[in-house]
């Protein structure tokens, strides 16, 4: 019997007993103390009216002090009784009756699904990735409130413990893969049980302690990841590449002719917030925009209505002089540095790994933390502007915030940007919902453990082609003899393949033609070399449709 039924049964039994007891006392009290006779039924009626606070009828005056005291006590008991009925008895009972029970067994038709053992912040983005890919999910959760929250949000969940044999109810043999996301001890039991039940496919496990990786592999995990170490590695990669993005490296992608650059859009630029068409990037600079990074997200494909977002990073191709002109027009300066030190604020598990990786790259790292511990150079409050000034942030390559609190990271970002707007700030994020706030505060790059975890799991679960679509577009140089004599505008290259024609080399005249613009009657020649842009799948489709032959491959 569940708790709500027990409470209701207690109420049903207790209330009549209380009426009988209090009514009997009243009956004898009236006879002995007041000298008036009351029948048993009259006494029961009085007790019921008093305890339910509905009134007294004829009995409303008493003379004896003990009788008056008894009535007062019973009146107080009645008020107390009524106030307890609703929260302790009725509400729990009604909740239990009207709430949909959490499922404890998967639908028998469920197949090709990913089973996730324990929900956590690392799973947030992965669930979105699975939904977009059309792959069903099934979360095993033992926390009642969390399981109900997932259930109410439309996520497939079953409620139960490993001790209850929950793996017998997840259609294990029909599952695509398993993900263990609990504590290391619980994960070991989950993986071992799944293998004992005959599951032969992939099991991916998250380890809280990197030293537990080997034991988790021994019990049957296909791969074991330490999410916070992955997060540290992702931050280090971004810290090094972000510096390059802030200083517009212009590099050749076709010897002597075609160049590519990543250029940051300064908020004070006259082109900031304009569309590509309004900024006349193609007409005035002879440059083609391939994509734009905005707040850690890649915006692709590009059209003429795309807005040049302040602090965004354009990935563009064109002549060297054209890219240089665009760099100046976008207001990019050399304020950011390629030399100097990294400032690391926060020296927990993630911070220690970041320092280790940066030092392995021969970088100088200055560490600040709120507590004194080995490896910390400065001890202090990250919101203390004097302390920040003593860190010499003006000469830093970047400031990396590896603090445990998103609120602390937010306030620190505001304080740092107030001291020096041009300094690069890269921060870890614990909860995805805080990403937008950190970017609004001025962070140049923010990354969450959910983001890096979903990326690595998406690679294994969904395949490399899905992951590649999130990276900068690829450039490929090809010859397409099949297009000889055809008009550029008649073949609808973009709509049929998703690829964009960036430039064209015409060897007969030894010139490179940047696209757009092109005259309406422009036709291809047999020996033309086409520079096309797209992701891996789109480029493959282009080569298949037009029988293209690769000349060279360049990655943006």
């Amino acid at each position: 019997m569940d708790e709500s039924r027990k409470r209701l049964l207690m109420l049903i039994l207790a209330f009549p007993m209380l009426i009988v007891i209090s009514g009997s006392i009243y009956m004898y009290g009236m006879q002995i103390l007041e000298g008036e006779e009351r029948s048993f039924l009259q006494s029961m009626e009085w007790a019921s009216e008093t305890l339910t606070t509905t009134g007294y009828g004829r009995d409303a005056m008493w003379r004896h002090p003990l009788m008056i005291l008894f009535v007062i006590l019973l009146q107080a008991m009645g008020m107390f009784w009524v106030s307890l009925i609703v929260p302790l008895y009725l509400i729990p009972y009604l909740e239990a009756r009207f709430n949909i029970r959490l499922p404890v067994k998967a639908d028998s038709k469920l197949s090709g699904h990913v089973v996730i053992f324990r929900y956590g912040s690392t799973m947030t983005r992965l669930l979105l990735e699975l939904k977009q890919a059309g792959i069903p999910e099934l979360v095993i959760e033992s926390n009642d409130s969390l399981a109900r929250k997932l259930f109410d949000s439309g996520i497939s969940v079953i409620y139960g413990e490993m001790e209850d044999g929950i793996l017998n109810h997840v259609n294990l043999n029909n599952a695509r893969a398993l993900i263990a996301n609990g504590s290391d001890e619980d994960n070991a039991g989950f993986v071992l049980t799944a293998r004992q039940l005959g599951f032969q496919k992939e099991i991916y496990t998250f380890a809280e302690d990197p030293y537990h990786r080997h034991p988790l592999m021994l019990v049957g995990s296909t791969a074991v990841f330490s999410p916070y170490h992955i997060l540290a590695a992702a931050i280090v990669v971004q810290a090094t590449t972000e510096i390059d993005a802030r200083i517009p490296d212009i590099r050749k992608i076709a010897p002597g002719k075609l160049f590519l650059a990543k250029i940051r859009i300064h908020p004070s630029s006259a082109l900031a917030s304009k569309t590509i068409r309004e900024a006349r990037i193609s007409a005035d600079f002879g440059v083609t925009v391939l994509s734009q990074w905005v707040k850690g997200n890649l915006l692709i494909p590009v059209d003429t209505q795309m807005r040049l977002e302040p602090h965004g990073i354009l990935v563009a191709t064109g002549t060297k002089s054209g890219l240089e002109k665009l760099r100046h027009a976008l207001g990019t300066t050399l304020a950011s540095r390629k030399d100097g030190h990294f400032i690391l604020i926060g020296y927990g598990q993630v911070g220690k790994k970041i320092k280790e990786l940066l030092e392995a790259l021969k970088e100088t790292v200055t560490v600040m933390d709120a507590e004194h511990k080995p490896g910390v150079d400065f001890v202090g409050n990250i919101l203390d502007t004097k302390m920040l000034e003593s860190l010499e942030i003006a000469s830093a390559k970047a400031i990396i915030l590896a603090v445990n609190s998103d609120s602390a990271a937010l306030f620190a970002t505001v304080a740092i940007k107030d001291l020096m707007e041009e300094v690069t700030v890269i921060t870890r994020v614990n909860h995805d919902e805080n990403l937008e706030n950190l970017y609004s505060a001025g962070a140049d790059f923010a990354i969450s453990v959910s983001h890096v975890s979903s990326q690595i799991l998406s690679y294994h679960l969904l395949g490399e082609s899905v992951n590649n679509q999130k990276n900068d577009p690829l450039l490929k140089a090809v010859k397409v003899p099949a297009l000889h004599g055809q008009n550029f505008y008649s073949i609808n290259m973009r709509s049929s393949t998703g690829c964009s024609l960036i430039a064209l080399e015409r060897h007969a005249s030894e010139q490179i033609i940047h696209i757009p613009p092109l005259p309406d009657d422009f036709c291809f020649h047999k020996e033309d070399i086409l520079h096309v842009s797209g992701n891996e799948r789109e480029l493959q489709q282009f080569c298949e449709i037009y029988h293209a032959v690769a000349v060279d491959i360049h990655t943006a």
Side-chain angles (χ1 to χ4, degrees):
M1 184 181 296
D2 60 36
E3 188 65 25
S4 65
R5 287 182 181 274
K6 288 180 181 178
R7 290 182 177 183
L8 184 62
L9 181 59
M10 289 172 59
L11 174 64
I12 293 172
L13 295 175
F15 188 65
M17 290 176 61
L18 186 58
I19 291 176
V20 171
I21 293 170
S22 57
S24 299
I25 295 173
Y26 180 76
M27 182 176 64
Y28 288 111
M30 288 296 291
Q31 181 182 350
I32 297 170
L33 300 176
E34 298 289 341
E36 298 182 16
E37 295 289 338
R38 293 289 186 271
S39 68
F40 179 76
L41 290 178
Q42 288 174 333
S43 300
M44 295 305 104
E45 180 186 10
W46 175 88
S48 174
E49 291 172 343
T50 302
L51 287 172
T52 58
T53 69
T54 57
Y56 300 114
R58 294 172 299 172
D59 288 350
M61 293 296 294
W62 301 272
R63 296 183 300 274
H64 198 282
L66 290 178
M67 198 63 194
I68 294 173
L69 180 60
F70 171 71
V71 172
I72 292 173
L73 290 175
L74 204 61
Q75 287 173 342
M77 184 183 294
M79 294 295 294
F80 183 69
W81 173 267
V82 171
S83 66
L84 285 180
I85 287 176
V86 174
L88 291 183
Y89 296 94
L90 294 182
I91 291 179
Y93 179 76
L94 293 174
E95 282 183 344
R97 298 286 71 76
F98 290 102
N99 274 347
I100 299 175
R101 292 182 180 276
L102 288 169
V104 295
K105 186 176 182 179
D107 188 327
S108 59
K109 297 180 180 179
L110 186 63
S111 181
H113 54 295
V114 174
V115 177
I116 300 172
F117 176 64
R118 300 287 185 269
Y119 178 81
S121 59
T122 53
M123 295 294 105
T124 305
R125 288 205 177 196
L126 176 65
L127 289 172
L128 292 175
E129 298 278 357
L130 293 175
K131 184 177 181 180
Q132 292 172 359
I135 297 174
E137 81 287 338
L138 183 64
V139 179
I140 300 174
E141 185 53 61
S142 61
N143 182 298
D144 180 270
S145 59
L146 180 56
R148 186 163 297 282
K149 182 179 179 181
L150 295 173
F151 182 80
D152 292 341
S153 65
I155 295 173
S156 297
V157 61
I158 59 172
Y159 174 68
E161 299 278 2
M162 285 295 299
E163 293 79 3
D164 301 329
I166 194 72
L167 278 179
N168 292 312
H169 307 300
V170 299
N171 298 355
L172 192 63
N173 292 331
N174 295 329
R176 180 190 185 108
L178 309 185
I179 299 172
N181 189 47
S183 66
D184 291 351
E185 293 79 6
D186 289 344
N187 286 346
F190 171 79
V191 175
L192 185 60
T193 303
R195 293 305 188 197
Q196 289 175 341
L197 291 173
F199 186 75
Q200 300 295 322
K201 298 176 185 176
E202 290 77 13
I203 303 179
Y204 302 108
T205 304
F206 284 115
E208 297 172 329
D209 188 335
Y211 291 105
H212 292 163
R213 181 181 182 278
H214 183 61
L216 287 168
M217 291 294 293
L218 290 177
V219 298
S221 297
T222 306
V224 180
F225 311 109
S226 179
Y228 290 104
H229 281 197
I230 298 171
L231 177 63
I235 289 174
V236 169
V237 169
Q238 191 60 38
T240 53
T241 58
E242 179 74 5
I243 303 306
D244 291 337
R246 291 180 65 84
I247 302 176
D249 251 351
I250 298 176
R251 55 190 177 90
K252 296 178 182 177
I253 55 175
K257 299 174 181 178
L258 194 62
F259 294 79
L260 182 135
K262 289 184 177 182
I263 308 174
R264 181 172 291 275
I265 304 166
H266 196 279
S268 63
S269 168
L271 301 184
S273 299
K274 290 186 176 181
T275 65
I276 290 178
R277 180 192 295 267
E278 292 169 343
R280 295 177 53 84
I281 288 181
S282 177
D284 292 351
F285 305 100
V287 168
T288 301
V289 176
L290 303 181
S291 62
Q292 182 180 192
W293 284 97
V294 179
K295 297 182 178 180
N297 295 311
L298 181 65
L299 304 184
I300 187 172
V302 172
D303 59 38
T304 56
Q305 296 306 311
M306 176 180 282
R307 199 170 79 106
L308 303 181
E309 301 289 346
H311 298 294
I313 299 174
L314 290 184
V315 181
T317 182
T319 62
K320 186 174 183 179
S321 60
L323 291 170
E324 287 283 4
K325 284 172 61 181
L326 179 62
R327 177 178 71 80
H328 288 294
L330 292 176
T332 303
T333 66
L334 298 181
S336 298
R337 303 170 59 87
K338 284 192 175 182
D339 56 347
H341 63 303
F342 282 97
I343 296 174
L344 173 62
I345 300 178
Y347 202 56
Q349 186 179 4
V350 175
K352 289 178 181 178
K353 193 64 179 179
I354 291 173
K355 182 182 180 183
E356 176 187 332
L357 294 172
L358 285 173
E359 289 181 340
L361 296 172
K362 309 300 182 185
E363 298 285 357
T364 302
V365 184
T366 301
V367 179
M368 175 184 170
D369 194 81
E371 299 178 7
H372 181 73
K373 61 183 77 171
V376 174
D377 302 302
F378 292 88
V379 178
N381 188 336
I382 59 175
L383 302 181
D384 185 345
T385 54
K386 291 183 178 179
M387 176 61 70
L388 292 174
E389 289 172 354
S390 67
L391 295 175
E392 300 178 355
I393 63 175
S395 61
K397 284 186 176 181
I399 297 178
I400 302 173
L401 297 174
V403 293
N404 291 324
S405 166
D406 288 351
S407 296
L410 178 69
F411 284 116
T413 301
V414 172
I416 292 167
K417 287 293 186 178
D418 183 58
L419 281 176
M420 185 176 180
E421 183 183 356
E422 293 299 323
V423 69
T424 302
V425 176
I426 300 170
T427 180
R428 64 170 279 189
V429 183
N430 295 307
H431 303 288
D432 277 5
E433 56 267 26
N434 294 325
L435 279 168
E436 187 65 30
N437 290 336
L438 280 160
Y439 278 120
S440 298
D444 294 276
F445 191 83
I447 187 167
S448 69
V449 65
S450 172
H451 179 78
V452 296
S453 299
S454 69
Q455 281 195 328
I456 196 165
L457 287 175
S458 295
Y459 175 83
H460 289 283
L461 293 171
L462 308 179
E464 185 174 5
S465 61
V466 175
N467 210 38
N468 275 344
Q469 294 181 33
K470 300 176 183 177
N471 298 330
D472 283 343
L474 305 174
L475 289 178
K476 194 167 190 174
V478 294
K479 283 188 176 182
V480 194
L483 291 178
H484 178 68
Q486 294 193 45
N487 179 268
F488 168 74
Y489 295 99
S490 66
I491 62 174
N492 296 319
M493 181 185 299
R494 182 66 176 272
S495 60
S496 59
T497 67
C499 291
S500 299
L501 181 59
I502 303 303
L504 181 143
E505 290 184 65
R506 181 151 289 177
H507 282 208
S509 57
E510 294 188 350
Q511 66 175 355
I512 187 163
I513 302 170
H514 293 280
I515 301 165
L518 283 176
D520 293 340
D521 59 350
F522 181 86
C523 294
F524 294 105
H525 289 183
K526 185 176 182 179
E527 295 300 319
D528 288 345
I529 296 178
L530 280 60
H531 295 270
V532 292
S533 169
N535 61 40
E536 183 179 351
R537 177 183 54 80
E538 292 167 342
L539 289 172
Q540 181 179 358
Q541 188 173 4
F542 177 90
C543 292
E544 290 174 355
I545 291 177
Y546 298 114
H547 307 289
V549 179
V551 175
D552 196 1
I553 298 177
H554 308 286
T555 304

